[in-house]
Amino acid sequence: MLDRLTHSLRRLWALDAFAYSLRVFMALTGVMLWSALSGHIGQMIPLFLGVIASALAETDDSWQGRLRALLVTLVCFAIASLAVELTFAHPWLFGVGLGLATFLMIMLGAIGQRYATITTATLILSVYTMINIEQRGGVTVENLWHGPLLLVAGAAWYGVLSIVWQALFTHQPVRQSLAALMTELGEYLAIKASLFEPLRGVDRSARRLALARQNGRVVSALNEAKEMIFSRLQGQQNSARIDRYLRLYLIAQDIHERASSTHYDYSALAEHFFHSDVLFRCQRLLYQQGQSCQALGRALLLRQSFDHGESEQALFDLRASIEYLKQHPPGGDARQNHRLLRSLTSLAINLGELERQLTRADNPELALDEHDRNLLDRSPSGFRDGWQRLRGHLRTSSPIFRHALRLSSALVAGYLLLRLIHPTQGYWILLTTLFVCRPSFGATHRFLRQRITGTVLGLLAGWALITLFPWDAAQALIAVLAGVLFFATRIRHYMIATAAITLMVLACFNQVGDGFDLIWPRLFDTLLGAGLAALAVLLILPDWQGRRLNREAASVITASEAYFREIVRQYQSGKRDDLAYRLARRNAHNADAALSTRLASVMQEPGQYRHDADEGYRLLVITHSILGHLSALGAHRRGVSERLDVQELEGVFEAISGYLSTIARALSRRQGVGALSPPPESMVAFLEQLPEEVEDARRLVHSQLAMICHQMIPLAEVAGRLLDQQGQRRRLISSGRATT
């Protein structure tokens, strides 16, 4: 029983939201105890709001980096809160300052994610200051500093807890991010395994689309893990534990490249080996390797070893099945049978290397080369770099500029509205607008629904709990637990988080007044704020994602071309997992994930803006297939590059690069694709003219290049149809305006 309890506690400790929630619990409990014991219960609300704003501003970093970020955050909080206090009694000055400050803060987020998090939290604290001023009855000379000091004190209290926690448990977030990465990789392998199901009539396009979507989640997990490791590499060049996590990250990158490899058309394999068990063996091996990845994730969290014996046995069975087929080939075209068997052999080699990486992951103690330690630092290198990033977004085509303009306009409109109608607790309108207004229509619509639903649920729960538990101590406990629930669920379950924060507000305000008086104003203000956010997204420089599909598609193809050129360089000079290669590979997968995300946003937009989504998904399936063939070329670099005469393929390399460049340029400029030169069919014919005695390693490269060439005409056709649809829609819009 003790072992089960220990295991349960370990699993709880391993949850990524647990540490975050525990810190918030400690901070809110400390505030509640201070307010109660000191007899200053009126200080509880601003201290609570300061804690919440500081927790929202928190980003992952080493404790030194978190200390620097906290100092910047507290300075921003103090300036913003004091500015609100000084201008609150001057409506025109306050309104102009609100609009300018909001626009500037959102634009500063273009410098980097850390800046975006801090500036957004600063805006939230500004609205909290307004709420606090209204709650205490206005600003006087005597209490001018009172509210800002309490808000900043609450923020500092949580910040100190966060720094101490990070110093004590600096590696816990890295383990959690690596575990999440391995879990996503395991899911990717499970979806990939479904492609090998040897059944006729299977909709493999739908499964490839699901694979592309899951690839986006894997890429996101890779990026998050990289940023966490990088922040801890700085100043810790000799840390054995960080080196171990870096090795695990590089192993995960290699597993991802091998898992995303495509060696041959799955339908052709299923048709030819329909009466054999070899594809079932492939499917089982990929599935078991996915299970091993997820087991590795759990082992990282629980600090245990993991067993991948079943995937090892599945690899042995696959190799035995392939050997049997070589000795007892199925009927049909012997040449085709020989070619497909070679593809299966290459696949088995690739999966064997993947299994070897899993073995290394169990104990990644090999030394790192110096170039392996290099990770790209995406943070600004100085003031000039930050200004260049900011200046690059000072144009109406920038999504950040559009969002800054929409949000600042919506907040100013909300302020004018509350000045006109003087609603009770009217500054909740601004807070709702700030949380609901998002850079895209789809995200705004989703958060709007969840915000309204969560507010209604929170108000109902608050009314019931305050009625059932009228005692101050019980309501204080409810407020603390609701605040913890908000932070535990705000990323994945925003509706529940909204209900929790609404419940916390009611419980807190009931400590200093009558919380029941807040129920109807809170609901009314939420509806007004959500409506303003929706109108801003619809009317102010609307950024319909479908109109930008051509640019996103061009970015995917351009990134694939850069990855292809880097692979060619590796074949010419030899395999080396240096920063340039890893960066090209990551950029290609990032672009693929960005297109998948863009298409998901398109599907959330009104019907008249979703017309291009079908062609966009067809293009995504093709570009992801090309990325799979590129990954196969990258995965087999070591085994092939020493035996390959790259000079005979220089023409093919240039042709493929030219195809990708031509299609990407046409999409970017909204021009017709035109005929591809030289014809891809001639490249395919050249690549397939190989004698049967040619070794498998050389044939692998030829077959992968041929399959990439096979995809060029379908890619050009889909790109052409996408451009035609967009052109027709622009002409209809123009004719409609002319008629008007």
Side-chain angles (χ1 to χ4, degrees):
M1 183 175 179
L2 181 61
D3 290 341
R4 287 198 300 271
L5 178 61
T6 303
H7 183 71
S8 298
L9 291 175
R10 279 188 175 183
R11 290 178 64 86
L12 181 63
W13 178 255
L15 295 175
D16 56 350
F18 177 75
Y20 193 25
S21 303
L22 185 58
R23 290 196 301 273
V24 172
F25 176 77
M26 294 167 62
L28 294 180
T29 302
V31 167
M32 190 66 71
L33 290 175
W34 160 260
S35 302
L37 296 177
S38 66
H40 297 92
I41 197 67
Q43 296 179 355
M44 178 187 64
I45 291 178
L47 288 172
F48 257 48
L49 295 176
V51 168
I52 292 171
S54 183
L56 291 174
E58 185 179 49
T59 57
D60 180 77
D61 209 334
S62 62
W63 73 266
Q64 299 96 327
R66 193 164 288 188
L67 175 60
R68 292 190 295 269
L70 175 64
L71 294 176
V72 172
T73 301
L74 293 180
V75 170
C76 291
F77 282 7
I79 294 173
S81 184
L82 187 58
V84 171
E85 295 271 350
L86 291 172
T87 61
F88 192 80
H90 308 281
W92 288 107
L93 181 61
F94 183 88
V96 172
L98 175 63
L100 291 176
T102 301
F103 182 83
L104 178 61
M105 294 259 183
I106 298 299
M107 290 304 301
L108 286 175
I111 299 175
Q113 183 58 45
R114 189 168 301 170
Y115 294 86
T117 302
I118 293 175
T119 54
T120 301
T122 303
L123 286 174
I124 293 171
L125 184 107
S126 300
V127 181
Y128 285 167
T129 305
M130 303 173 203
I131 295 171
N132 184 46
I133 291 173
E134 190 176 41
Q135 184 265 330
R136 71 174 190 258
V139 180
T140 63
V141 176
E142 294 78 14
N143 67 8
L144 178 65
W145 294 90
H146 188 255
L149 280 176
L150 289 175
L151 287 166
V152 173
W157 161 234
Y158 178 83
V160 169
L161 282 177
S162 176
I163 292 169
V164 172
W165 187 283
Q166 186 62 21
L168 294 174
F169 309 107
T170 186
H171 298 299
Q172 184 188 26
V174 183
R175 284 197 306 273
Q176 291 170 339
S177 67
L178 286 172
L181 170 57
M182 290 300 173
T183 300
E184 296 295 351
L185 273 174
E187 183 63 25
Y188 184 88
L189 284 164
I191 298 174
K192 189 67 177 282
S194 69
L195 292 173
F196 285 89
E197 194 168 15
L199 297 176
R200 296 188 176 104
V202 172
D203 187 0
R204 286 188 169 79
S205 293
R207 296 184 181 185
R208 294 196 71 97
L209 184 57
L211 191 68
R213 289 170 173 164
Q214 178 61 25
N215 186 61
R217 290 186 277 272
V218 174
V219 169
S220 177
L222 278 166
N223 291 336
E224 182 179 350
K226 191 268 287 185
E227 293 299 328
M228 286 189 175
I229 294 171
F230 183 84
S231 66
R232 289 158 178 79
L233 273 175
Q234 296 174 315
Q236 300 188 42
Q237 295 297 319
N238 296 318
S239 171
R241 187 177 296 182
I242 287 297
D243 276 355
R244 182 176 186 272
Y245 293 145
L246 178 56
R247 283 190 289 269
L248 281 171
Y249 169 75
L250 295 175
I251 287 171
Q253 275 198 327
D254 191 82
I255 290 174
H256 182 221
E257 182 173 56
R258 295 186 179 282
S260 59
S261 300
T262 301
H263 289 77
Y264 208 80
D265 180 67
Y266 301 109
S267 298
L269 290 171
E271 182 66 30
H272 189 77
F273 296 109
F274 185 78
H275 299 289
S276 171
D277 70 343
V278 67
L279 291 187
F280 279 117
R281 301 293 185 188
C282 291
Q283 183 182 23
R284 175 171 171 74
L285 174 57
L286 278 165
Y287 178 78
Q288 289 299 333
Q289 288 177 333
Q291 294 294 104
S292 295
C293 284
Q294 294 183 339
L296 174 58
R298 291 190 295 271
L300 279 170
L301 289 176
L302 301 177
R303 300 187 182 187
Q304 299 172 345
S305 60
F306 85 107
D307 179 24
H308 58 103
E310 290 195 23
S311 58
E312 287 181 331
Q313 181 61 44
L315 176 62
F316 177 81
D317 294 340
L318 173 61
R319 287 169 172 168
S321 183
I322 292 175
E323 288 301 317
Y324 179 85
L325 282 174
K326 288 180 179 179
Q327 298 173 12
H328 305 85
D333 186 354
R335 182 183 178 87
Q336 174 76 349
N337 179 67
H338 193 51
R339 183 185 298 117
L340 293 177
L341 273 176
R342 282 177 162 174
S343 296
L344 283 178
T345 301
S346 299
L347 172 64
I349 293 172
N350 185 49
L351 295 180
E353 287 297 312
L354 196 157
E355 188 67 28
R356 189 175 70 86
Q357 294 290 4
L358 287 172
T359 302
R360 288 182 59 203
D362 192 21
N363 188 23
E365 301 299 336
L366 297 178
L368 285 170
D369 294 334
E370 187 59 34
H371 68 270
D372 286 335
R373 296 183 60 90
N374 294 330
L375 294 177
L376 180 65
D377 183 7
R378 297 187 182 274
S379 60
S381 57
F383 177 80
R384 177 174 295 182
D385 185 19
W387 166 244
Q388 291 294 334
R389 295 186 185 194
L390 179 60
R391 191 174 67 175
H393 286 276
L394 292 175
R395 61 184 192 277
T396 56
S397 60
S398 167
I400 294 178
F401 181 90
R402 292 179 178 223
H403 178 55
L405 187 61
R406 284 194 293 261
L407 184 58
S408 57
S409 301
L411 290 179
V412 171
Y415 179 67
L416 293 175
L417 182 64
L418 70 89
R419 295 294 301 182
L420 286 173
I421 64 177
H422 297 284
T424 305
Q425 300 291 342
Y427 291 95
W428 295 107
I429 297 174
L430 302 186
L431 190 65
T432 300
T433 301
L434 185 57
F435 275 107
V436 170
C437 188
R438 301 286 166 151
S440 68
F441 173 86
T444 300
H445 186 251
R446 184 173 68 255
F447 277 90
L448 184 149
R449 294 196 323 269
Q450 295 180 2
R451 183 82 182 183
I452 293 175
T453 306
T455 299
V456 172
L457 293 175
L459 292 174
L460 290 174
W463 171 79
L465 291 174
I466 292 175
T467 303
L468 290 172
F469 303 100
W471 309 285
D472 289 346
Q475 292 178 15
L477 179 61
I478 290 171
V480 170
L481 294 179
V484 172
L485 181 61
F486 167 74
F487 284 97
T489 59
R490 73 182 185 90
I491 301 298
R492 297 183 177 89
H493 307 285
Y494 186 70
M495 183 181 70
I496 297 175
T498 300
I501 200 68
T502 302
L503 174 59
M504 189 201 81
V505 167
L506 287 181
C508 284
F509 273 75
N510 206 53
Q511 298 285 303
V512 296
D514 189 354
F516 294 99
D517 292 341
L518 190 63
I519 293 177
W520 286 111
R522 172 79 174 188
L523 178 59
F524 180 68
D525 295 345
T526 296
L527 294 175
L528 286 178
L532 286 172
L535 288 175
V537 173
L538 283 171
L539 301 178
I540 302 175
L541 294 178
D543 191 15
W544 304 115
Q545 303 294 300
R547 296 178 179 177
R548 301 166 59 89
L549 278 180
N550 62 303
R551 296 180 185 176
E552 203 71 63
S555 299
V556 172
I557 298 171
T558 300
S560 294
E561 183 199 356
Y563 183 26
F564 176 69
R565 285 190 175 276
E566 194 60 35
I567 290 172
V568 171
R569 185 182 68 83
Q570 296 263 321
Y571 274 97
Q572 292 170 340
S573 61
K575 178 180 178 180
R576 184 177 177 84
D577 281 332
D578 53 13
L579 180 60
Y581 177 79
R582 287 187 278 114
L583 180 60
R585 179 176 62 190
R586 187 58 40 224
N587 286 341
H589 282 282
N590 280 337
D592 183 80
L595 178 58
S596 178
T597 302
R598 176 64 59 88
L599 286 166
S601 297
V602 170
M603 295 305 295
Q604 295 176 348
E605 294 178 348
Q608 63 267 32
Y609 300 105
R610 296 205 301 262
H611 295 293
D612 301 331
D614 290 342
E615 295 300 337
Y617 277 118
R618 292 188 186 97
L619 191 142
L620 176 62
V621 170
I622 295 174
T623 55
H624 192 71
S625 297
I626 293 173
L627 185 58
H629 296 307
L630 293 176
S631 297
L633 287 171
H636 290 278
R637 281 169 295 152
R638 175 167 293 164
V640 177
S641 57
E642 297 136 357
R643 298 188 290 275
L644 183 69
D645 182 8
V646 295
Q647 292 182 351
E648 69 171 352
L649 294 174
E650 285 183 355
V652 179
F653 293 152
E654 290 302 318
I656 292 176
S657 182
Y659 299 150
L660 295 172
S661 178
T662 298
I663 298 172
R665 187 165 54 250
L667 283 166
S668 179
R669 298 177 181 177
R670 286 196 172 101
Q671 299 174 345
V673 177
L676 299 178
S677 180
E681 298 89 338
S682 63
M683 292 293 103
V684 173
F686 169 76
L687 290 166
E688 291 181 348
Q689 289 177 355
L690 279 178
E692 288 299 317
E693 62 273 10
V694 170
E695 60 185 356
D696 290 347
R698 182 181 170 194
R699 183 176 293 277
L700 170 71
V701 176
H702 280 246
S703 66
Q704 292 302 312
L705 294 174
M707 283 185 280
I708 293 173
C709 290
H710 268 302
Q711 297 287 350
M712 290 300 110
I713 291 180
L715 178 62
E717 290 175 348
V718 172
R721 289 197 298 271
L722 178 62
L723 291 172
D724 288 343
Q725 288 185 358
Q726 290 184 332
Q728 291 174 8
R729 193 157 300 107
R730 286 197 304 273
R731 287 191 292 272
L732 286 173
I733 293 173
S734 299
S735 63
R737 289 174 179 169
T739 302
T740 303

